Amino acid sequence: MGDSAVKELEDRIKKDGRVLGKDVLKVDSFLNHQVDPMLMQSMGKEFYEHFKDQGINKILTVESSGIAPAVMTGLSFGVPVVFARKHKSVTLNDDLYTSEVYSYTKKTSNHISVSKKYLSSDDKVLIIDDFLANGQAVNGLNTIIDAAGADLAGIGIVIEKSFQKGRQLIDKAGIPIYSLARIKAFDNGQVVFEDENE
Ligand code: G4P
């Protein structure tokens, strides 16, 4: 059952993904620029199947590319979706939880923030994001969840690059994680998944 969303995503990555340089996968045609809502919906259902027994009442992501998969996941759960906003710098604001996120890919630092209105100690949160690379975005969201006194129930990732640091950091912290597509390596411009034989 669940496997079909994973298979659909992996097939789509093979068909439409493009490997840039040695560690970047471009998926603009269905995830990061143009969005395939049908694929997002199957992935949302898949995250729901995986995490449905955890008492989750809120989905949290970061703008912008996390929003599409997060909204479809929220739809499956029937719960609200909150996206952290990015700012170059934030003047102190008592109404916001903030955290700093460094992007290795873009070599810039962003502050991300969530209004105190939309996250509280009553919340059991599922983080959803499009990519897991070095884990900086997830780390920043986790800091915000802690500041709000909310509970982190788990992390759902669309595409994990297992050869970068993020996965290890999350496993080490003992946080439940479910990545739909897990990329083991890029081999001469070809994507190799963890679950396929080379
Ligand atoms: P991290 O959050 O895991 O630490 O990732 P990193 O700093 O390396 O990546 C920063 C941005 O680049 C993130 O998006 C992340 O989703 C994206 N990214 C990382 N690896 C890849 C990749 O191989 N392909 C693509 N297409 N994106 C990748 P962001 O800055 O938050 O941008 P956006 O959500 O506004 O698009």
Side-chain angles (χ1 to χ4, degrees), residues 20-63:
L20 297 185
K22 62 178 184 13
D23 60 8
V24 172
L25 177 70
K26 194 122 172 108
V27 284
D28 271 13
S29 65
F30 61 93
L31 184 59
N32 291 136
H33 191 13
Q34 174 170 261
V35 172
D36 180 338
M38 286 70 75
L39 178 61
M40 297 301 130
Q41 188 173 35
S42 355
M43 300 192 306
K45 285 181 182 160
E46 178 66 17
F47 286 130
Y48 172 73
E49 283 304 321
H50 189 85
F51 288 110
K52 66 182 172 197
D53 299 327
Q54 306 306 313
I56 287 156
N57 69 334
K58 197 154 282 185
I59 310 294
L60 182 64
T61 189
V62 192
E63 67 176 352

Side-chain angles (χ1 to χ4, degrees), residues 109-198:
S109 234
N110 275 303
H111 282 89
I112 60 169
S113 66
V114 171
S115 166
K116 291 185 178 173
K117 270 194 281 190
Y118 303 125
L119 202 59
S120 78
S121 55
D122 296 334
D123 289 326
K124 191 141 188 209
V125 179
L126 174 63
I127 291 177
I128 295 288
D129 212 355
D130 58 336
F131 270 93
L132 176 64
N134 292 295
Q136 296 304 300
V138 163
N139 200 33
L141 290 174
N142 204 359
T143 303
I144 284 176
I145 290 170
D146 276 351
D151 265 356
L152 174 58
I155 299 171
I157 297 290
V158 177
I159 302 175
E160 169 187 312
K161 294 187 290 182
S162 313
F163 53 88
Q164 290 184 267
K165 281 196 299 265
R167 175 68 189 221
Q168 236 181 317
L169 289 175
I170 292 167
D171 282 343
K172 229 181 185 171
I175 303 164
I177 171 168
Y178 180 37
S179 301
L180 301 181
R182 301 190 64 199
I183 296 176
K184 180 157 66 178
F186 295 133
D187 181 15
N188 283 321
Q190 296 300 306
V191 177
V192 184
F193 295 108
E194 292 277 355
D195 61 0
E196 75 184 294
N197 298 319
E198 278 176 282

Side-chain angles (χ1 to χ4, degrees), residues 25 32 64-65 86 103-106 131 133-137 161:
L25 177 70
N32 291 136
S64 53
S65 302
K86 286 175 185 163
S103 163
Y104 289 95
T105 311
K106 297 180 178 167
F131 270 93
N134 292 295
Q136 296 304 300
K161 294 187 290 182

